[in-house]
Amino acid sequence: MMNTVIKISSLILLAFTLVSCDQGEENGEQNGTDGARLMPVETVIIEPDNFNDFVRTTGTVEAIDDAMISSETSGRILSIKDRGERVQKGGVIAQIDDRLIQAQYEAAKTGYELAEDTFNRFESLHADSIISTQDYNSARAQRDQARAQLNQVEKQLQDSKIEAPFSGRIEERFISTGELINPGMPVVRLVNTDLIRVISGVPERYSGEITEGSKVQLNFGGLNGETRESTVTYASNVLDPETRTYAIEVEMRNSEQLIKPDMVVDLLLERQTLENVIIIPRTAVLRNEDGQSVYIASEQDGEKVARLVNVETGSAGGALIQIVNGLSDGDELVVNGVRNLSEGDVLNILNTETSIERAEKLKSADRPVVSY
């Protein structure tokens, strides 16, 4: 009985030992020299490069010329442009029945011409002292009154043609042919998207850096991520007390009409350009209570092992961050696999490239996000 127990215990111990060994091998343990773990990683060779420091935010598109066109007079609509039609500045959008106004205009014109003729005759008679000054002033007053009445009717006649204040396209129509309209009633929405602006908000801490003239990259998600470059054309001097941001505007040409109002735009606002600095992926930096550190590949007995190095970081943008102190040109930095590393682990380097090459890949894959 005792021998049986001993045999069973020995089998259990052996199985436990085998399982432990298998798990150790799966975790990369005891695969290197002197039992050190052999860990798969990717590295980059540090090369200084220029780095553009950006502020990231989002904005929306609006057309600079976008107006609700209303009527200034009353009457029945005789004709009106259809939605989607383009109209030039000064072109007729809608025509109101003007027959009554036309009759009033003719009467006012005749009355003014008569008053003007009477005044001219009285002016000569007054100069020869044939009529009194009172009669002369009365004729002049009647002439001026008739002219004012004519101007009023001329304005009503002009208002019967609802004209475009700028060139654009009819995007909405609020009334149809045959309907009665009153002053102030909206007729159409006229929009010109040849020139658009992107409106956004910038956190107040950047008020001294993002100003009118600052360079900006705009990413239009609605255009399959198309990116365009421009400059800030307006930066407000007033803060929004709720969001603690100040408004900026970026005006752009849109001759192809691809950018549409209310599109969401991602903006990269350039703060500064840093020259000849060390830039690495953010994910390579480890943070703890002692500060920030990275792993570099160090030669030891013919192998490359992980060595933890304290670093000081600077500006950051997207997936990249500047290293101010701790790394030098030519250092081999571990960029992938750092979370499972410990100092002294043997490195199985699967891929190596320069820090500039890795930065370009990260820039092309990065998409702007709101940073505040």
Side-chain angles (χ1 to χ4, degrees):
M1 182 66 177
M2 182 62 69
N3 291 336
T4 302
V5 173
I6 293 173
K7 289 180 180 180
I8 294 174
S9 301
S10 299
L11 289 173
I12 293 173
L13 181 60
L14 178 61
F16 179 77
T17 302
L18 291 174
V19 171
S20 299
C21 291
D22 289 341
Q23 290 178 342
E25 290 176 0
E26 289 180 1
N27 294 329
E29 297 176 352
Q30 298 182 353
N31 291 326
T33 304
D34 299 328
R37 295 190 307 168
L38 182 62
M39 302 298 292
V41 296
E42 293 184 5
T43 62
V44 297
I45 306 300
I46 298 298
E47 291 184 1
D49 191 18
N50 294 340
F51 177 61
N52 293 324
D53 191 9
F54 291 100
V55 176
R56 294 162 173 256
T57 183
T58 59
T60 55
V61 176
E62 72 172 27
I64 292 180
D65 292 326
D66 185 345
M68 204 74 71
I69 309 301
S70 300
S71 174
E72 294 188 54
T73 188
S74 60
R76 188 178 302 277
I77 296 292
L78 296 180
S79 64
I80 185 171
K81 294 284 187 181
D82 290 328
R83 186 168 60 178
E85 286 193 67
R86 297 194 67 87
V87 59
Q88 296 300 314
K89 181 179 180 179
V92 177
I93 296 174
Q95 174 66 58
I96 298 174
D97 187 353
D98 62 352
R99 288 174 295 179
L100 180 59
I101 302 175
Q102 188 71 43
Q104 293 173 347
Y105 171 77
E106 294 298 334
K109 182 179 179 183
T110 301
Y112 170 70
E113 290 174 349
L114 178 60
E116 177 73 12
D117 182 65
T118 300
F119 172 73
N120 290 336
R121 287 189 293 106
F122 274 42
E123 189 174 30
S124 299
L125 294 173
H126 181 261
D128 295 335
S129 301
I130 298 176
I131 63 172
S132 66
T133 301
Q134 183 178 358
D135 291 337
Y136 168 75
N137 290 336
S138 177
R140 183 172 60 182
Q142 290 177 4
R143 189 275 313 265
D144 293 344
Q145 184 177 3
R147 182 166 56 190
Q149 185 175 0
L150 178 61
N151 291 339
Q152 181 180 2
V153 179
E154 281 182 338
K155 178 63 167 60
Q156 292 175 348
L157 189 61
Q158 181 183 355
D159 291 343
S160 67
K161 292 181 175 65
I162 301 176
E163 300 177 346
F166 53 84
S167 299
R169 186 172 184 260
I170 307 298
E171 294 296 340
E172 295 183 68
R173 202 177 78 169
F174 305 105
I175 199 164
S176 301
T177 302
E179 290 189 57
L180 288 172
I181 194 169
N182 292 315
M185 288 182 61
V187 178
V188 298
R189 179 187 178 190
L190 184 65
V191 182
N192 183 3
T193 54
D194 289 340
L195 186 64
I196 56 95
R197 61 171 158 245
V198 177
I199 300 176
S200 184
V202 178
E204 61 178 313
R205 63 180 178 273
Y206 300 118
S207 60
E209 299 172 289
I210 306 302
T211 59
E212 294 172 5
S214 295
K215 295 181 180 180
V216 57
Q217 295 179 15
L218 303 102
N219 182 278
F220 296 86
L223 301 180
N224 297 320
E226 180 180 335
T227 298
R228 300 187 183 184
E229 295 185 354
S230 186
T231 57
V232 175
T233 53
Y234 166 77
S236 176
N237 289 329
V238 180
L239 282 178
D240 184 325
E242 294 184 0
T243 62
R244 306 306 303 173
T245 63
Y246 61 97
I248 63 166
E249 294 180 2
V250 180
E251 293 186 5
M252 300 179 62
R253 300 298 306 178
N254 184 36
S255 56
E256 297 178 355
Q257 312 294 310
L258 297 178
I259 304 172
K260 302 183 184 302
D262 296 323
M263 267 188 175
V264 176
V265 187
D266 296 317
L267 293 87
L268 285 176
L269 298 154
E270 185 174 309
R271 295 176 60 194
Q272 59 182 331
T273 298
L274 305 175
E275 298 183 354
N276 200 36
V277 294
I278 294 175
I279 303 298
I280 68 171
R282 281 178 185 258
T283 54
V285 180
L286 302 172
R287 291 175 172 81
N288 52 44
E289 62 276 6
D290 297 326
Q292 302 173 102
S293 57
V294 297
Y295 279 108
I296 64 171
S298 178
E299 288 283 348
Q300 181 176 312
D301 299 329
E303 294 181 319
K304 289 189 176 181
V305 299
R307 183 163 66 87
L308 196 63
V309 175
N310 293 328
V311 294
E312 180 183 347
T313 59
S315 299
L320 301 172
I321 191 167
Q322 177 194 7
I323 300 299
V324 177
N325 190 26
L327 291 178
S328 302
D329 186 5
D331 285 344
E332 187 171 4
L333 173 73
V334 178
V335 291
N336 278 348
V338 295
R339 300 299 172 184
N340 297 323
L341 275 184
S342 297
E343 190 160 18
D345 286 343
V346 177
L347 302 179
N348 176 23
I349 300 175
L350 304 178
N351 181 59
T352 300
E353 57 189 344
T354 67
S355 58
I356 296 177
E357 292 172 336
R358 176 57 64 96
E360 289 302 319
K361 290 180 180 179
L362 292 174
K363 288 176 185 177
S364 62
D366 192 21
R367 287 294 178 266
V369 295
V370 179
S371 62
Y372 57 93

